[in-house]
Amino acid sequence: MEFEVSSAASLQSLLERHVPEDVKEREDLERMRHFARSLARPFSREQLEAHFTGSAVVVDPEGARVVLLHHRKLQRWLQPGGHADVADAGHMEATALREAREETGCRVSLHPAAPRPLDVDIHTIPARRDEPEHHHLDVRFLVVAENPDALTHDPAESFGVRWLTWDEAMTHADEAPLRRMLAKARRVVASAP
């Protein structure tokens, strides 16, 4: 229980520092702050209405390319990300880094110039035979792939993963929150020394 209380406090602190960019992100952030306070186990998939997830915009060391993967279940081009594990100890950065490593095969680290988190978004996951419809409370970070040539994917998770230019990534982004997150990441890498 002590782990859950300290992890929830860490999550609440992270969300309190975030500055949203548009109306949707502001509304999502307020809802996420509420869920961080009210969910008994905010990182657990057993929270049927909603649970926190972590994801990453993965860029190459030069900041010229970004990774998107073609998600198997959702059949959309998305950034790497997924559910929190116990080993993440309630740290959303750890979740985002682990998911980026697992889904790209690359060694990754947090981008030194990026705000933490970079972006937040609530999205609905459709019902499947073993899971009701629910919300992912996604906390997103900008990370750098240290070995971009190692890019690979898990066929169980995605149809493929690839490096794209920023313009190519934007053409694959099929929703406003994904485009917003990519635009934020692009601005950070463009202004980094």
Side-chain angles (χ1 to χ4, degrees):
M1 183 65 172
E2 185 177 317
F3 157 74
E4 290 174 6
V5 171
S6 66
S7 298
S10 174
L11 174 62
Q12 290 171 26
S13 175
L14 183 74
L15 294 174
E16 285 305 318
R17 292 190 308 266
H18 185 63
V19 178
E21 185 169 288
D22 61 23
V23 172
K24 179 177 183 331
E25 189 178 18
R26 185 176 313 111
E27 291 170 352
D28 286 354
L29 179 60
E30 286 307 312
R31 289 177 62 204
M32 291 170 85
R33 288 172 176 164
H34 167 75
F35 279 122
R37 291 186 304 269
S38 64
L39 290 174
R41 298 176 61 210
F43 310 104
S44 174
R45 293 177 84 164
E46 295 172 8
Q47 302 289 284
L48 296 180
E49 181 183 0
H51 47 262
F52 282 85
T53 58
S55 66
V57 178
V58 180
V59 297
D60 67 6
E62 294 77 31
R65 298 178 299 163
V66 61
V67 167
L68 288 183
L69 58 90
H70 195 211
H71 197 279
R72 182 169 285 284
K73 289 180 182 173
L74 299 175
Q75 298 195 16
R76 298 177 52 219
W77 287 95
L78 298 170
Q79 76 280 7
H83 295 96
D85 278 355
V86 173
D88 301 335
H91 298 285
M92 299 312 303
E93 297 97 332
T95 299
L97 288 167
R98 179 184 47 75
E99 287 288 338
R101 279 190 306 271
E102 290 175 0
E103 294 187 354
T104 68
C106 297
R107 288 187 315 276
V108 294
S109 57
L110 292 169
H111 192 288
R116 297 179 189 166
L118 174 71
D119 192 78
V120 299
D121 180 60
I122 297 178
H123 47 273
T124 303
I125 302 301
R128 294 192 277 268
R129 62 178 181 273
D130 59 339
E131 231 175 22
E133 179 181 280
H134 61 282
H135 301 289
H136 279 183
L137 312 171
D138 200 32
V139 183
R140 300 159 158 195
F141 297 86
L142 179 59
V143 306
V144 179
E146 298 165 9
N147 57 337
D149 292 337
L151 187 67
T152 186
H153 80 284
D154 177 355
E157 293 285 327
S158 67
F159 293 115
V161 63
R162 73 171 93 137
W163 286 108
L164 301 167
T165 66
W166 290 103
D167 290 340
E168 290 169 338
M170 289 301 256
T171 65
H172 284 77
D174 63 355
E175 64 173 7
L178 180 55
R179 288 190 295 275
R180 178 190 67 220
M181 179 186 63
L182 289 171
K184 284 184 189 182
R186 189 177 194 176
R187 286 194 304 269
V188 169
V189 299
S191 65

